[in-house]
Amino acid sequence: MTEEKKAPEEEKKKPESVLNAYRDRLKSLKQARQYYSTGEIPKAVEKYSQYLNTLASYFGVSEERLSPNFFDNEKEISELLLISQVYWDLAKAYDRSPNLHRESIRCLDQFVKFTNGFKYQHINAQMLRKFIKRKQAHNLKAFQNAYTKIQVDSKGCFIASYSYGTNHQVTNDLREFKKILLELPLGFKFVEFYYRLSPHIVSLFEGSGSIGKLINYIALRPLLFLISLIGKKK
């Protein structure tokens, strides 16, 4: 649990109205999704905003300051995913109006913040990539920038983190190598492909039990170490 997550004793000090709204927050989210699916965008935006403001009030901040740091990244991963999806829908909704493009960009920034480094990162990234490919956005550049941020700003290195751990020197070296690759057109394409493929590879290894662990030690770890050495020489 993060330091910013409210402790039980702090929760007792909150107004009952804030606690009740927090307990019922998913009702607002459900209504928002129903409105969005039927094309009632203004009503959806209202309910989405209600959901986010309820969370913000619970944590004692403004909605603009909502951050993944308020949540337990393991126990509350489902809510983190929901929040990312809310900001995604809001970004698309605000994009419809030229006067609200700034708000759309802000929601895209929040979408990226609630995406990078989480297990569902590749899902959100592909959702954004497909949206860009269909050229449905009015402010297309803003969505392209958000996609680039996911590739560039993410500290995720899924295969290396699985093999060596998130804070191992090899993992850190590979993160630095990624920054070099992202400066090259082909390198960017490679990183993009990596993020699409790596979660599936990790799942395969994790589901293979002792065989997966054996392959990791005799093949994957040496390969990653070699790549990290190559990256250091660049």
Side-chain angles (χ1 to χ4, degrees):
M1 183 174 292
T2 63
E3 292 182 359
E4 292 186 52
K5 178 67 177 176
K6 299 298 180 181
E9 57 270 19
E10 293 182 49
E11 190 171 283
K12 294 178 182 178
K13 301 176 183 178
K14 294 181 181 298
E16 193 64 28
S17 58
V18 172
L19 291 176
N20 287 336
Y22 181 76
R23 296 184 189 112
D24 292 337
R25 68 193 184 283
L26 295 182
K27 292 181 180 178
S28 299
L29 182 56
K30 183 178 180 180
Q31 290 177 323
R33 285 184 159 179
Q34 289 173 340
Y35 285 134
Y36 201 93
S37 65
T38 57
E40 298 178 84
I41 304 303
K43 291 182 179 180
V45 168
E46 180 183 352
K47 288 298 179 180
Y48 275 143
S49 298
Q50 182 179 333
Y51 166 74
L52 292 174
N53 282 309
T54 295
L55 288 174
S57 295
Y58 180 78
F59 292 116
V61 297
S62 62
E63 179 268 312
E64 292 81 0
R65 293 185 60 199
L66 271 180
S67 163
N69 292 331
F70 290 110
F71 301 85
D72 186 308
N73 290 356
E74 294 297 328
K75 295 180 180 179
E76 297 176 296
I77 188 70
S78 296
E79 183 122 39
L80 287 163
L81 173 60
L82 288 175
I83 295 170
S84 74
Q85 298 296 305
V86 168
Y87 278 118
W88 170 242
D89 281 350
L90 285 174
K92 291 185 295 180
Y94 289 130
D95 178 64
R96 294 167 179 240
S97 172
N99 295 329
L100 295 174
H101 279 183
R102 181 175 295 182
E103 186 65 8
S104 175
I105 293 172
R106 186 188 73 82
C107 288
L108 280 171
D109 288 340
Q110 285 291 87
F111 169 72
V112 172
K113 185 188 298 183
F114 279 90
T115 292
N116 277 350
F118 294 105
K119 294 178 180 178
Y120 52 82
Q121 174 183 316
H122 66 290
I123 297 174
N124 281 3
Q126 291 313 299
M127 177 177 64
L128 177 52
R129 184 180 69 86
K130 291 177 181 178
F131 182 77
I132 292 170
K133 190 175 181 179
R134 291 195 295 267
K135 296 184 178 180
Q136 294 178 319
H138 295 278
N139 187 7
L140 185 60
K141 185 177 180 179
F143 287 83
Q144 291 171 331
N145 288 341
Y147 183 68
T148 300
K149 284 181 181 180
I150 291 177
Q151 306 300 332
V152 175
D153 296 344
S154 173
K155 295 181 180 180
C157 196
F158 301 114
I159 297 176
S161 297
Y162 162 77
S163 187
Y164 279 99
T166 56
N167 296 315
H168 194 279
Q169 186 59 48
V170 170
T171 306
N172 291 331
D173 289 342
L174 289 170
R175 289 192 184 108
E176 293 302 313
F177 186 33
K178 184 192 77 169
K179 294 178 182 179
I180 297 173
L181 290 175
L182 287 169
E183 295 176 359
L184 307 170
L186 288 178
F188 188 93
K189 290 292 184 181
F190 174 80
V191 172
E192 181 183 51
F193 176 75
Y194 169 81
Y195 278 126
R196 292 167 61 184
L197 185 64
S198 58
H200 302 291
I201 294 177
V202 171
S203 295
L204 181 62
F205 272 92
E206 290 177 337
S208 299
S210 57
I211 296 177
K213 292 179 180 179
L214 178 62
I215 297 175
N216 175 42
Y217 277 97
I218 68 175
L220 185 58
R221 285 171 67 95
L223 176 61
L224 292 171
F225 178 70
L226 178 61
I227 295 173
S228 72
L229 291 179
I230 294 173
K232 281 185 176 182
K233 295 179 180 179
K234 297 296 182 180

